[in-house]
């Protein structure tokens, strides 16, 4: 089933210069880039995006980190895109991520783990329009 999902190359990925590597891995897994842009989130924008985590102890640090530098937001389209992208990303903790995944190969820590991906159809439905208008998405 064709799906859309959102991925974000986080500030550490942009800083390390691995945007192309991340996108190549997604494309190599059969995903197609349908929309892409680089943005620098304000703390308010990052907080709104991660509102689902507001009551968790790491929320403040997450907002601070995600607004610390530019990020690349991408809409990916493909068969079972949500699960496929999450598989390519690997576990949130790079130490537990499977070899060959983005996080196992490129991430430094659970906090600086290179990439975000929608975790469900519901989150994708919230996250994609947070960054993109429908006219910007080219399927």
């Amino acid at each position: 089933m064709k799906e859309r999902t959102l991925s974000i190359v986080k500030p550490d990925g942009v800083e390390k210069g691995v945007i192309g590597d991340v996108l190549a891995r997604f494309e190599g897994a059969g995903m197609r880039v349908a929309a892409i842009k680089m943005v620098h989130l304000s703390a308010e924008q990052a907080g709104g995006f991660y509102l689902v985590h507001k009551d968790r102890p790491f929320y403040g640090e997450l907002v601070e980190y995600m607004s610390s530098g530019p990020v690349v937001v991408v809409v990916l389209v493909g068969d079972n895109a949500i699960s496929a992208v999450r598989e390519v990303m690997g576990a949130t903790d790079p130490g537990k991520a499977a070899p060959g995944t983005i996080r196992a190969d490129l991430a430094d820590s659970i906090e600086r783990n290179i990439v975000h991906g929608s975790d469900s159809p519901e989150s994708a439905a919230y996250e994609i329009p947070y960054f993109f208008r429908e006219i910007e998405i080219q399927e």
Side-chain angles (χ1 to χ4, degrees):
M1 170 182 76
K2 288 269 188 217
E3 282 181 325
R4 287 180 178 177
T5 191
L6 185 89
S7 183
I8 302 175
V9 180
K10 296 179 179 182
D12 59 317
V14 173
E15 184 180 314
K16 282 183 168 186
V18 297
I19 298 164
D21 188 358
V22 169
L23 295 177
R25 289 171 188 240
F26 290 144
E27 289 178 323
M31 299 299 106
R32 198 175 65 68
V33 174
I36 186 169
K37 65 174 88 170
M38 182 178 279
V39 297
H40 191 146
L41 298 171
S42 68
E44 183 179 358
Q45 290 165 328
F49 182 77
Y50 284 108
L51 198 58
V52 67
H53 298 304
K54 186 172 176 144
D55 294 328
R56 301 184 91 174
F58 58 82
Y59 176 75
E61 290 175 5
L62 177 62
V63 168
E64 183 178 335
Y65 164 62
M66 289 300 291
S67 60
S68 69
V71 299
V72 174
V73 290
V74 184
V75 177
L76 298 164
V77 177
D79 291 333
N80 302 306
I82 295 167
S83 61
V85 164
R86 293 190 67 76
E87 186 173 325
V88 172
M89 290 187 331
T92 304
D93 180 347
K96 296 178 182 172
T101 62
I102 292 169
R103 290 174 172 154
D105 293 349
L106 304 173
D108 295 327
S109 68
I110 195 168
E111 294 84 13
R112 296 178 63 86
N113 63 11
I114 302 289
V115 69
H116 164 89
S118 303
D119 64 3
S120 68
E122 296 77 21
S123 64
Y126 172 78
E127 293 175 355
I128 292 169
Y130 197 87
F131 292 105
F132 296 97
R133 295 177 299 137
E134 193 60 35
I135 195 170
E136 297 175 297
I137 302 170
Q138 306 301 313
E139 281 191 54

